[in-house]
């Protein structure tokens, strides 16, 4: 129920920097995600995947279309009152 920018400011993963040191491509991907208009992006756990958080679905869809040729797999999800729902 917070503003999206406020939610994104709270993203943190202590394993992100060590993972980026071992695999610089993960840092590059995060930069690309943020470059598509994401309010925030974060490595999940120790590096199984990264996610990006967008203000609106349209921006997220454009980002997905832009990044699809360079990422192995992507899915667009939208938040619900509890949990998430895969929309595409």
């Amino acid at each position: 129920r917070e503003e999206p920018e406020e939610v994104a400011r709270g993203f943190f993963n202590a394993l992100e920097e060590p993972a980026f040191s071992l695999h610089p491509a993960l840092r590059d991907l995060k930069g690309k995600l943020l470059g598509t208009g994401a309010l925030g992006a974060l490595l999940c756990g120790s590096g199984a995947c990264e996610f990006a958080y967008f203000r609106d679905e349209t921006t997220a869809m454009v980002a997905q279309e832009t990044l699809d040729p360079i990422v192995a797999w992507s899915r667009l999800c939208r938040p619900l009152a509890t949990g998430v729902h895969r929309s595409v």
Side-chain angles (χ1 to χ4, degrees):
R1 301 197 190 285
E2 297 176 44
E3 285 298 313
E5 292 83 2
E6 195 64 30
V7 172
R9 274 193 288 277
F11 290 172
F12 176 74
N13 178 350
L15 293 175
E16 196 172 61
E17 283 305 317
F20 288 172
S21 294
L22 291 171
H23 303 285
L26 293 172
R27 183 186 310 275
D28 295 342
L29 177 57
K30 181 174 182 171
K32 288 176 179 153
L33 289 166
L34 293 170
T36 63
L39 299 175
L42 192 66
L43 187 71
C44 294
S46 59
C49 66
E50 289 189 56
F51 73 90
Y53 184 70
F54 295 87
R55 172 171 279 290
D56 57 73
E57 192 170 354
T58 301
T59 307
M61 290 173 70
V62 170
Q64 184 182 30
E65 290 172 9
T66 302
L67 295 174
D68 262 353
I70 63 169
V71 298
W73 183 84
S74 69
R75 291 295 176 262
L76 182 63
C77 301
R78 60 182 168 83
L80 301 174
T82 55
V84 295
H85 171 66
R86 183 175 153 200
S87 58
V88 234

